[in-house]
Structure formats: structure tokens, C-alpha cells
Amino acid sequence: MQGKWNFYACLIEDMPASILLDLSLIGAAPLHGFDRLGYLRLYMNAPRPDGLSSNDEFDRLVALEDQLLAQLEPDSRLRYVGRDTANGARTYYFYLAESMPFEDRAAQAMAAHPEYAFDAGEQDDPDWRVYRDFLYPRPQDLQAIRNRDVLQALRGHDDHLELPRQIDHWAYFPDVASAQAFAMWVEGEGFHLSPPPPGSDSSFGVRFDRIDQPDAIDSINLPLVEKAKALGGDYDGWECQVIRP
């Protein structure tokens, strides 16, 4: 699959869920001419008690998904954008050109898998609300994805993630007052303020650091994301040195 695919855990109707999506589409959505949403909901045969997929069924679901997308994705009249897994089902989402007979194509693709119950449907969604408002992660979830990617890169350098070291952070705000309010708050949380990064006519930066363990980064910077957003700004990420054995 082309694009920038990633996943995150969340809740859907108070049930644990996992969402996989192409993050790269957020800057282009909605794509011209793809005004309808098609979905194919597959009912798992051996879900976990919490409704997520089980290890027992994992390989079978992967093989089915590969076969399903191999049949559907070559059709230029649809664009696969993501899926969710929750409450004993896995639902695939596609945006469709007007001429795409999605329900018929979905039924044809599933004919090779009679052991699985499914349903399929279509609806108008010219603004891509399902992609933007349902599949796409909230700021905290998006940061958790980025954290996981950075940690994976550090592991690739044989980093000892449990070892404390200076972690640098950045955030940007639309005015001096909100930047100063955030700076005062992070100082109260034990961070050290550094000279601010270059801003622009429309943004004001805050740079700060603290000695922390990278393997605890979610508990460290997800509150920073929330606080920056509450003040009208954006948390812009973190970095640290690699520590090898």
C-alpha cells in the first residue's frame, strides 16, 4: 500500500479499538471526484473477549486482508483509506467515484471467504468526515504515533531507552501571551527553559528540556500536547541523544 500508514489504539463507543489509516491523506482530503464512502464490515470468528482480534485468528485475518485489497485496490474508482477493529468486527473504509458499484465488488471479493460473515454499504461523504473526524487521530493519539516512531528509530541505534538523559521539546503559539503562559506552566512541571526557537510573524516558540527516560515519553509529552492545545498552540515534538551500551 502506498501512503503513510500507521495505527493507534482508542475507544469506539466505550469499547477498545484499533485504527489503521493512511495519515498522508489529511493534507489532500477530500480528493476530487471521490464523494462517496464505501465500507466492508467483516465479523471475526474468534475475537478476544474485549472485541479486538485474537492471536489465534491473526494470520487468517492478515491473509484475508491481503487478498481482499489485492482485488479491490487496483480499481482506480476507489481509494482505501483505513480500517478499524472493534466489538468483534473489522471494518474497511474506501472513498469511491460515483461510477463505482462498491457493494457488488465487495461481495465478489468476499465470495472466496465463505467462512466469514460480512456486510457492505455506501453513503455520501463529500467532505470526508469519516476519514477526518473518525479515523484520523486526535492530537494526543497522533503524538503517541510519533512517539512510537521515534522510539523505534532509537531502538534501531541500539539505544538503552530506560536510561535518563536530556530530552528537548518544542511548542509554538499564536501570540506572546500564550507562549509565556505555557513557558510558566512547563517550568512548574520541572522543565528547564532554553532560548526559544525562531518563530515567525504568526508564531512564537517555546523550547524546553528535562532529564527523563525516553521509554516513558507518552506520560511526559501527552500532557504537553493537551496543555499547548488548551492555550491555542501546538506541541512540535522532541529529540534526545542516543545512548548505547
Side-chain angles (χ1 to χ4, degrees), residues 30-236:
L31 296 181
H32 178 70
F34 291 80
D35 296 335
R36 292 184 59 75
L37 175 77
Y39 69 87
L40 192 162
R41 181 170 295 112
L42 174 76
Y43 296 96
M44 295 182 287
N45 290 329
R48 294 182 348 193
D50 63 3
L52 295 177
S53 59
S54 65
N55 290 334
D56 292 341
E57 200 173 10
F58 178 81
D59 290 341
R60 183 71 190 94
L61 290 172
V62 169
L64 189 156
E65 180 172 310
D66 289 345
Q67 295 166 16
L68 178 69
L69 296 179
Q71 292 188 55
L72 293 176
E73 279 198 294
D75 194 320
S76 62
R77 296 172 296 175
L78 63 74
R79 182 67 180 264
Y80 175 49
V81 297
R83 62 164 165 81
D84 73 70
T85 304
N87 201 24
R90 177 163 288 176
T91 306
Y92 299 87
Y93 298 93
F94 305 82
Y95 280 93
L96 316 170
E98 189 64 35
S99 61
M100 174 64 180
F102 178 75
E103 293 183 41
D104 290 342
R105 288 295 311 279
Q108 292 169 10
M110 288 300 299
H113 309 283
E115 71 277 19
Y116 280 96
F118 75 96
D119 56 53
E122 304 175 34
Q123 66 188 57
D124 289 330
D125 188 10
D127 296 325
W128 284 40
R129 290 299 179 190
V130 168
Y131 175 80
R132 290 178 174 275
D133 299 339
F134 174 65
L135 291 174
Y136 199 79
R138 301 172 306 151
Q140 291 92 335
D141 293 323
L142 186 59
Q143 186 59 53
I145 291 172
R146 292 169 176 163
N147 289 346
R148 188 174 63 233
D149 290 345
V150 174
L151 292 175
Q152 186 62 35
L154 290 171
R155 290 189 187 96
H157 291 285
D158 298 322
D159 189 286
H160 279 208
L161 298 174
E162 76 282 1
L163 295 180
R165 83 285 304 265
Q166 178 176 313
I167 300 179
D168 297 301
H169 306 262
W170 292 264
Y172 290 89
F173 298 86
D175 53 60
V176 172
S178 56
Q180 289 178 340
F182 183 79
M184 291 179 61
W185 181 80
V186 295
E187 277 195 303
E189 296 296 312
F191 290 92
H192 168 260
L193 294 175
S194 301
S200 68
D201 291 340
S202 60
S203 69
F204 299 85
V206 179
R207 180 181 179 183
F208 52 105
D209 61 78
R210 195 173 70 183
I211 303 300
D212 282 305
Q213 298 173 213
D215 63 359
I217 193 64
D218 280 356
S219 64
I220 296 163
N221 71 357
L222 296 189
L224 299 174
V225 172
E226 185 174 357
K227 184 64 175 181
K229 186 63 66 177
L231 291 170
D234 291 296
Y235 176 78
D236 197 43

